[in-house]
Every structure is written in C-alpha cells, then in structure tokens.
Amino acid sequence: MRTATVIIGAGHAGLAMSCRLAELGIDHVVLERGEVANSWRTERWPSLRLLTPNWQTKLPSFPYDGADPDGFMSAGALAGLIRRYAGAIGAPVRTHTTVRAVGFHDDGYAVTTEQGTWTAPTVVVATGACNLPNVPPYADAVPASVSSITPMDYRGADDLPEGAALIVGAGATAVQLADEIHRSGRAVTLSVGEHVRLPRTYRGCDIFSWMESAGVLDERFDEVDDIVRARHVSSPQLLGSPDGRAVDLDALTDLGVRLVGRLAGIADGRARFSGSLANVCALADLKMHRLLNRLDEWAGSAGQERPERTRLPRDPALELDLTNGEIHTVVWATGFRPDYSWLDLPVLDRCGRIRHDGGVVTGVRGLYVLGLPLLRRRRSTFISGAVSDTRDIASLIWRDLSRRDCALTAVR
Ligand SMILES: Cc1cc2nc3c(=O)[nH]c(=O)nc-3n(C[C@H](O)[C@H](O)[C@H](O)COP(=O)(O)OP(=O)(O)OC[C@H]3O[C@@H](n4cnc5c(N)ncnc54)[C@H](O)[C@@H]3O)c2cc1C
C-alpha cells in the first residue's frame, strides 16, 4: 500500500497531524496498535486528572466547548474527547495495526505492520513520549518481600498491599500518587530529587492562565538556554483536583508524608538517600520565584502573595531498611521514556532518543516526530502544543512532498 504520509500513533498528536494533512489535501493513513487514545485508555491510572485546565485541552479545529473550562479532565474523559475528535475530523485510522518496523525504501520508507506494509516518502512518528516507565537499574535490588510497581501498573491505592509505601520521584505523578496513597491510610515516604515547583494559582488565577497570557508557553526550543536539559526536567508538582487543592511538598508534609532525599541506590536491602534534599528544594523554590518574577514583570506590578520557602524535615533519613517489614510497596514514579525499538533507522542517540531539530528528524529525509517535551515550543510538552506543532510540521511535509513532485492526494 502506498500513501504520501504514514502517521504512526492515534493519540491526540497523530490525530492533530491527520487533521492538518487533510486540510492540505495530503493523502495519509494513521496506524494505531490499539484503539484511538490507547495510552489514555490503557496506560493511565483511573483517578488521574489532567494538571492542565480544560480550556487548554484544544486541538486543531477542535476548541474546548464543554461546560467546565476551569476544571480538570479525567483520563477517561480525555480518551472520550480524543475519540470524538477522530470522528469529527474523519481521520483515516487503522486500529489494531502495530508498527513492527520502519526502514528505508526507495526514496522514502517502508512501514511494516502485521496487517501489511505501507510505503511512503514521509513518516510522522506520533507514538508518544511515555511508552515505558523509566526505572533505575537498582530497582532490581528491591527485596522480594516488597512489591515494586510503576505508575503504568498502578490502578488505585486499594490494590496495593496494606502497609507503608516508598514513592520514588517528585514530579506530578509522584506527588499525586503520594497524596492518594497516603489518603488511603498507608504511611508514605517520598524520595525527592530535582523537581519543578509551581503554585496551582497565583494572584487569583490558575498558573496556566498566567503562563499562557505572558507567552511563557510559546517560547521556542531554539530560544531556550540548555534545551537538552530543559527537555528532561520532570513535570511540575501540580494536581488537577476538582477542589483546586495544592499537592506541593508542604501540602504533603502537612498530610503526614515523610520527605527524604533522592534515592541514590539500594544495597543489602537498604535504600540509601542522598543528603541533597535541602539543596533540591532551594533550587526548585528559586526557579519558581524566577517564573513568578517574570509573570509580575509581564503584569507590570509585583504580586503580594508568594509561596513560602519549602519546609524541610529536621533530619531527613539517609537510609531505609526495606527488609524489616515496614515498607510494603515501592512505587517508581521516576518518569517515562519513549519506545523506538521498532525503528530500523540510524536516528537514535546513545540513550535511545530520536535526534531531531524541532520535530524534523536529523540525518534522514522525510521523517518527523511529534508529542515530545519542548519539541518546538514550551507548550509542546502539553496537549495544546499539538495545535502549533502540527501546523508547522504539516507545512514542512507539504514542502518536502512538493519538491519531490509527489502526488499529494488520493493515492490510496
Ligand atoms: C501520567 C501523564 C499525565 C499527563 N498529564 C498531562 C496533562 O495534565 N496535560 C497535558 O497537556 N499533558 C499531559 N501529559 C502529557 C501528554 O498528554 C502526552 O505528551 C501525550 O499523551 C502525548 O500524546 P501523543 O499523542 O504524542 O502520544 P500518546 O497519547 O501516547 O499516543 C501515542 C499512540 O501511539 C500508539 N503507538 C505506540 N507505538 C505504536 C506502534 N509501534 N504502532 C502503532 N501505534 C503505536 C499508542 O498506542 C498510542 O495510541 C501527561 C502524560 C502522562 C504520561
């Protein structure tokens, strides 16, 4: 089967790309291994709510038009919205079509699936940034008596063994799970490394309204000082709860969660934590104030209310015995990574990440990637980033196909 563009993945990014290509009259197909919005249907925990407000969940030709713009959508509601979007734009999705390999073919690519092979001069990889949990190698040293899970396995606190949990990580997933697991009656120790602290609201408005208005989210990838580092910072410590509750480290301390430093390793059944808790918290506070200063500057006046410095435990533990029956579960909220094991092309770096320049894969022609953090702008990290990223990349594809003198339409 031949087409002009193969899009791999029918999450919001792949579908937004399909909408853009259809607008330009470019023939294409969207190949999806599961159902539309597979990640949100099968890989997220049921109580998850977006940390971005509903008004920001918009896609090309599909603004948010629900009744609760300032609310926070559940994973299930988002999956429903993405399914509706696929229907509204009439995306040519082939579900249950797992891509097993992508290799060079003539002047383009062959995309192999168990339903057949597609050839095309251009391919868009929209398989997501979060296919696999990013678990450190010393996770194998957790004693067998302790259950060890990732957020992809987590379905609710009630499914965990009774007893205390150690949660490793300090991004959005870690603090949300710490809050939920602690509220289920289990004692929680949270191992805190470098993190991003943001207030849920600032001067009476949601922090995302501020960042949107002040243009923070539109900062381009080539304007960011250290783009490699910026692409790897953890998600902000925010929760999208119906009551607008904060879940920063102070809120967790108030609940009774015990904070310790970054997990440095596990040996002989003992978890060892670094002594850097005060430093990483001070750094997160500093960066948060820098952002708030920028927002004040944009607003033309200084805000009165500022979050206090993160409160620290007096003597954070440096070790925890995982064999004495206290800890029953370790949750690895240590981030996610993409899976490109099916990509037979020389486009990955030593860490298995796609090398790209604003979504244009480097070193080859006609290959594009979407849905990665800070891909083209700060907002690329979030769902709304697909609106501008797909517009830009669709026009690059159109130029590429025009130069090759390819038939753009109806080659299916
Ligand atoms: C826990 C969590 C919470 C988040 N919260 C927010 C939030 O509050 N707000 C926000 O804006 N963003 C949030 N994000 C980030 C954002 O939603 C993700 O970046 C987004 O899911 C990426 O969309 P996507 O379409 O690129 O990828 P996905 O939604 O992951 O879609 C990729 C699709 O590709 C398919 N696929 C993968 N491999 C293959 C293959 N080999 N063959 C065929 N199909 C394949 C998958 O089945 C999937 O359907 C969150 C992410 C996570 C993990």
Side-chain angles (χ1 to χ4, degrees), residues 272-335:
R272 303 219 154 89
F273 306 108
S274 98
S276 62
L277 182 62
N279 287 348
V280 295
C281 290
L283 185 66
D285 290 350
L286 177 81
K287 289 185 173 170
M288 175 185 67
H289 286 298
R290 268 194 207 143
L291 174 71
L292 299 182
N293 290 344
R294 181 172 167 188
L295 300 179
D296 283 350
E297 217 170 279
W298 174 83
S301 66
Q304 303 298 312
E305 22 130 354
R306 283 277 175 117
E308 301 284 329
R309 236 174 24 187
T310 302
R311 276 183 283 124
L312 296 168
R314 193 162 300 152
D315 263 323
L318 294 175
E319 274 199 3
L320 190 57
D321 187 350
L322 300 178
T323 62
N324 67 3
E326 182 197 338
I327 297 289
H328 289 246
T329 309
V330 177
V331 183
W332 298 99
T334 36

Side-chain angles (χ1 to χ4, degrees), residues 135-167:
V135 175
Y138 47 76
D140 290 345
V142 172
S145 57
V146 175
S147 142
S148 182
I149 67 160
T150 74
M152 283 181 152
D153 313 316
Y154 178 80
R155 286 295 168 272
D158 291 346
D159 291 348
L160 300 182
E162 288 298 332
L166 167 65
I167 300 180

